[in-house]
């Protein structure tokens, strides 16, 4: 039996911490209540062994909750909501980014911060529930290390209708943290056991309602139903009387009071998931074959055909042309010989086949047909062959780059008998027989035997075909594989018959049992066949290739299916791999690339709620930034202001979609003075961004294209350039740490002044909500009450707050935990405060703690005296000078974000660089053409970093410059802040620039660090 790999979880991933913090901050001001306030009797029949129900603490008032919500939305660059939506809060997280981890850790943070103890995780399917169970088990030790030994597994249980009274003993009456994991089917019908009176006369449903649980819904869109009417499942959740509801998914149907957003676009941009590559069977057609596909009949009466095409000096690629009668395919192809004498015979017609003359023959194609069609058996064979080769390609690349990481390939099939056929003499189905034949051929090839010979310890059993592939399917009670009845017509696990669902659940359980072993090289199994119905069980991070073996490959073009392979992989030590060059999921499809990609992109956009006409907060933020606003003015409040002005002028509607009057934006007169200053540029940038959004797509690389090779220019291997690179490497490889001197007395005094200023305008208030409605008669003379109006009134609470005051010891411990300051310093700070008693209010204590943290960063930044070398700790050359990953789609983008360096100038290290702005492009062009530049490169963000009080910092450019005389060399590290004056730089930007200067001062006497707003500015600052 292979050893199980222990997954290593990171507790400091910024985006996950942001998602957790966003939810926790929603409830600022909530105070943990004393035991007597939450343990109270209720009027119910009680057994001798039973205890009293234990409620969650009360929540803050509606007005305060709305204020917190708006604060969180501002901090996350989301539009502000004007009202609460039933205490429902939405967290959007892309598939594969750790959604389950985030909400499980959020539970622990809410428990520790506010004392919430009752949590219900509601899931739509058993497959998801089993995944939650697995996550709780895998995260057990990780959470214990973070939360003082708290064992989540001991505080969580899965509800079963076979033992309904567990809901009382383990949940309702529990006095500590309790997490109930429940399928929605357990309580969404009146006939459920929970909602019926039991033999003791109790209705457990009423007990659950009493304790006011916090409800977490995993994949809420699956509970919402298709119609406008609220589904029975959502109604049942509301009947529980939840304290609040947290909704987690990547594909929400409706965003209720959204507090956090990490969508597909964000996840891809931050390299938090694998990239997607598509390979098609049709892409394997020989490039010297006269391939023609009749793709479509256009609205303007042309036939769109796809043929091979080559430009002078380029490569043969597929290209589409709109043609009519007389079109010469030889000319269109770029004079490829195989198309000689091939001419479109007549104008196309939507009801007739396209006729193409091929010399002495006639070719007729219907829409969607091509002249290189393969039969289904051939397509399956080629798909399997491609999958095996892709698998081995990826495995070899990963190992040769120094990662001990196992690759998995997943085949989805539509029928068990195509894998296991009990009527065949050897029990093998058609697909398994083809796989065995193709695997034997590929592994016998001399080119691949080298892989196994190079790493013999990792592939001891590669010749044993029976051990390298296996099938996982729905199984009956005797663990025999069975077909999923009516799957083709259902395609939705929530609508399966009960027996089929039970069979699927058992199959998923087998998958999860093996999950930890599959990523070990001790387990030879690497090629897995499974039924599409089991797709939710496959979230193994090391799936690098996904292949659907059925006609109509576009059916796999679903975000849910592909999400099975998007998670970042782990090595044999359980550590996550973040190498974007390796993290790529390949889809093997038997569809045409353009059709498949279009279907996939459409599904992604539909699932993520993408709307080309929606003006999002991100779009407005970009328009403001590109419109010339200095950083200090670009605030979240301004983003919301611009949105409100667009709304007030009727240019967008209440859903932020452009209206028919959107073309009037150029004549819009802004009311806000900041917007007025930069109005013309902001409006132009907003228009440009919205026009671009009309073609915004998830980046999908065509795996049939020859890849774009980025890396060092060939001259970098020459002795002279190798010497330059070595000299630059020596100066950049050294790691430093900063040293600070803080005047303790001044720090304490500054904190006292800061907090006194904060507390001077604070007071304890009681909040009262008053609802007012007006009565009237409608046109039918019926007496009705109109919608109520809600407003709030406040009273100073004075000393009679009813809130338990915190002791100095509790306050000091709280601040110490969040700031890591010594107790004595904190004691001196709070002892000097005039409004010390106000710190007994949790909300005010939170604000004060943040002020202290901010002041500490300020003092650290101001007190940096020098940087010192860390002996024995250096950056890896491979990461410092790593080239950006570039694909063909990036090069074809109109935005021009990729800069192709001029090899003839012999100055740039790499062939291509990704640039962030027009100013950076101009800087690169000037470097490339400056005769005194000996070598330059763009520094990849994260490859080389400088530690600062505000986090890690990566400069932009490394330059070797020729000084006076032919031999003198000057070394420069440059931070570009194009089109910004120093006065417009933020305090943090200035601090990072200063840190850069001190770092290189410590590293070498001949390295200068500069910031520049243009290339001319850079030239004026360097010593030459």
């Amino acid at each position: 039996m292979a050893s199980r790999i222990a997954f290593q979880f990171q507790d400091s991933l910024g985006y996950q911490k942001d998602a957790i913090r966003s939810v926790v901050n929603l409830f600022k001001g909530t105070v943990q209540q004393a035991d007597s306030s939450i343990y109270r009797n209720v009027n119910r029949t009680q057994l001798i062994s039973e205890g009293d129900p234990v409620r969650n603490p009360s929540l803050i008032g509606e007005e305060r909750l709305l204020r917190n919500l708006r604060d969180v939305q501002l901090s996350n660059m989301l539009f502000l909501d004007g009202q609460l939506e039933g205490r429902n809060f939405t967290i959007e997280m892309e598939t594969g980014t750790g959604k389950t981890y985030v909400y499980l850790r959020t539970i622990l943070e809410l428990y520790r911060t506010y004392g919430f103890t009752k949590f219900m995780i509601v899931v739509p399917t058993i497959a998801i529930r089993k995944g939650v169970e697995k996550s709780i088990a895998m995260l057990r030790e990780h959470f214990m290390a973070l939360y003082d030994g708290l064992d989540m597994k001991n505080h969580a249980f899965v509800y079963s209708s076979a033992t309904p009274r567990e809901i009382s003993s383990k949940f309702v009456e529990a006095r500590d943290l309790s997490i109930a994991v429940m399928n929605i089917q357990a309580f969404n019908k009146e006939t459920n056991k929970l909602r019926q009176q039991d033999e003791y006369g109790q209705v457990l449903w009423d007990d659950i309602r009493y304790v006011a649980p916090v409800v977490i819904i995993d994949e809420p869109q699956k509970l919402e139903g298709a119609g406008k009417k609220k589904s029975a499942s959502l109604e049942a959740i509301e009947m529980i009387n939840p304290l609040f509801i947290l909704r987690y998914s990547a594909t929400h149907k409706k965003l209720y009071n959204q507090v956090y957003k990490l969508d597909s676009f964000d996840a891809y941009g931050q390299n938090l998931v694998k990239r997607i590559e598509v390979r098609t069977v049709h892409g394997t057609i020989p490039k010297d074959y006269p391939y023609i596909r009749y793709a479509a009949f256009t609205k303007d009466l042309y036939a769109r055909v796809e043929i091979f095409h080559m430009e002078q000096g380029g490569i043969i690629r597929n290209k589409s042309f709109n043609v009519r009668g007389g079109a010469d395919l030889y000319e269109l192809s770029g004079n490829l010989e195989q198309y000689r004498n091939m001419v479109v015979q007549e104008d196309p017609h939507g009801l007739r086949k396209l006729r193409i003359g091929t010399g002495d023959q006639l070719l007729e194609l219907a829409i969607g047909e091509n002249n290189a069609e393969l039969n289904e058996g051939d397509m399956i064979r080629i798909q399997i062959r491609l999958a095996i080769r892709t698998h081995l390609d990826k495995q070899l690349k990963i190992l040769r780059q120094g990662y001990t990481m196992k690759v998995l390939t997943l085949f989805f099939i539509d029928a068990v008998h195509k894998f296991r056929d009990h009527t065949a003499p050897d029990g093998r189905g058609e697909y398994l027989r083809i796989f065995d034949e193709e695997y034997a051929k590929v592994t016998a090839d001399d080119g691949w035997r080298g892989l196994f010979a190079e790493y013999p310890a990792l592939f001891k059993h590669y010749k044993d075909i029976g051990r390298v592939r296996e099938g996982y399917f729905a199984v009956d009670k005797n663990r025999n594989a069975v077909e999923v009845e009516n799957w083709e017509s259902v395609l939705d696990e929530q609508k399966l018959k009960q027996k089929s669902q039970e069979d699927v659940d058992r199959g998923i359980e087998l998958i999860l049992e093996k999950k930890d072993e599959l990523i070990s090289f001790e387990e030879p199994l690497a090629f897995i066949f499974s039924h599409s119905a089991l797709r939710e069980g496959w979230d193994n991070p090391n799936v690098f290739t996904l292949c659907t073996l059925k006609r109509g490959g576009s059916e796999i073009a679903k975000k849910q299916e592909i999400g099975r392979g998007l998670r970042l992989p782990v090595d044999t030590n359980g550590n996550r791999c973040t190498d974007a060059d390796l993290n790529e999921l390949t889809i093997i499809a038997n569809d045409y690339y353009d059709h498949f990609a279009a279907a996939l992109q459409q599904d992604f956009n539909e699932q993520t709620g993408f709307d080309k006409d929606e003006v999002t907060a991100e779009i407005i933020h970009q328009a403001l930034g590109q419109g010339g606003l200095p950083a200090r003015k670009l605030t979240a409040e301004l983003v919301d202001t611009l949105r409100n002005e667009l709304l007030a002028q009727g240019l967008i509607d209440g859903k932020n979609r452009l209206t028919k009057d959107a073309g009037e934006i150029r004549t819009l007169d802004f009311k806000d003075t900041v917007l007025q200053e930069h109005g013309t540029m902001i409006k132009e940038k907003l228009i440009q961004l919205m026009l671009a959004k009309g073609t915004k797509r998830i980046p999908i690389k065509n795996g049939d294209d020859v890849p774009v090779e980025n890396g060092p220019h060939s001259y970098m291997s020459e002795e002279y350039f190798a010497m330059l690179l070595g000299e630059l490497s020596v100066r950049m490889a050294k790691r430093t740490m900063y040293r600070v001197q803080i005047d303790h007395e001044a720090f304490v005094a500054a904190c006292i002044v800061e907090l006194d200023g904060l507390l001077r305008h604070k007071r304890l208030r009681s909040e009262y909500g008053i609802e007012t409605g007006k009565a009237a008669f409608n046109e039918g003379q019926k007496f009705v009450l109109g919608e109520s109006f809600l407003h709030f009134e406040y009273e100073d609470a004075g000393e009679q707050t009813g809130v338990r005051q915190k002791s100095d010891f509790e306050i000091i411990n709280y601040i110490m935990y969040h700031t890591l300051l010594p107790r004595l310093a904190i004691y001196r700070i709070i002892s000097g405060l005039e409004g010390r008693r106000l710190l007994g209010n949790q909300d005010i204590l939170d604000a004060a703690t943040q002020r202290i943290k901010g002041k500490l960063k300020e003092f650290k930044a101001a007190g940096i005296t020098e940087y010192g070398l860390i002996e024995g700790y250096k950056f890896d050359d491979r990461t410092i000078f790593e080239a950006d990953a570039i694909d063909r789609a990036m090069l074809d983008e109109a935005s021009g974000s990729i800069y192709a360096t001029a090899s003839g100038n012999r100055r740039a290290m790499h062939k291509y660089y990704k640039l962030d702005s027009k100013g950076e492009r101009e800087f690169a062009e000037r470097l490339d053409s400056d005769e005194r530049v000996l070598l330059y490169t763009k520094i990849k963000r994260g490859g080389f970093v400088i530690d600062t009080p505000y986090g890690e910092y990566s400069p932009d450019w490394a330059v070797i410059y020729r000084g006076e005389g032919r031999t003198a060399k000057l070394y420069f590290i440059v931070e570009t802040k194009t089109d910004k004056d120093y006065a417009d730089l933020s305090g943090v930007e200035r601090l990072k620039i200063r840190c850069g200067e001190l770092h290189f001062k410590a590293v070498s006497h001949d390295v200068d660090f500069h910031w520049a707003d243009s290339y001319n500015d850079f030239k004026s600052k360097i010593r030459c």
Side-chain angles (χ1 to χ4, degrees), residues 271-286:
N271 291 322
L272 302 179
V273 292
K274 294 191 189 92
R275 301 287 174 174
I276 296 175
E277 176 190 61
V278 173
R279 300 204 70 189
T280 64
V281 167
H282 300 282
T284 62
I285 299 168

Side-chain angles (χ1 to χ4, degrees), residues 722-734 874-878 880-881 909 935 944 960 971 1003:
M723 177 195 68
L724 291 178
L725 180 59
E727 291 174 354
L728 186 60
S729 176
V730 167
R731 289 160 174 80
M732 293 188 66
K734 297 174 182 178
K874 294 184 178 181
F875 290 107
D876 189 331
D877 287 356
R878 292 176 300 177
I880 296 176
F881 303 116
M909 183 181 299
L935 182 68
F944 166 79
I960 303 180
Y971 303 87
V1003 166

Side-chain angles (χ1 to χ4, degrees), residues 42 51 62 68 99 193 214-215 292 318 351 403 409 510 547 594 618 636 690 707 837 850 905 907 923 1005:
V42 293
E62 298 283 304
N68 286 349
K99 173 192 65 179
K193 286 186 179 181
V214 173
V215 173
I292 309 169
N318 290 14
L351 300 179
Y403 294 92
T409 290
L510 291 176
C547 182
D594 56 352
E618 293 95 329
M690 290 307 297
R837 71 180 185 87
Q850 293 306 311
N905 293 344
R907 295 186 183 97
F923 198 93
H1005 69 280

Side-chain angles (χ1 to χ4, degrees), residues 16-78:
Q16 292 183 343
K17 293 175 70 174
D18 288 343
I20 295 165
R21 189 183 304 114
S22 297
V23 173
V24 173
N25 288 346
L26 272 176
F27 310 107
K28 279 186 175 180
T30 299
V31 181
Q32 294 195 29
Q33 299 185 25
D35 286 359
S36 59
S37 65
I38 56 176
Y39 304 148
R40 61 177 69 152
N41 295 318
V42 293
N43 184 20
R44 66 168 190 157
T45 305
Q46 188 171 318
L47 302 179
I48 295 176
S49 60
E50 285 185 316
D52 293 328
V54 181
R55 303 187 69 172
N56 265 325
S58 299
L59 207 57
I60 52 178
E62 298 283 304
E63 189 271 346
R64 180 52 204 277
L65 186 55
L66 178 59
R67 195 161 72 243
N68 286 349
L69 169 65
R70 290 167 66 87
D71 287 342
V72 171
Q73 290 173 328
L74 272 175
S75 66
N76 288 335
M77 205 59 70
L78 298 170

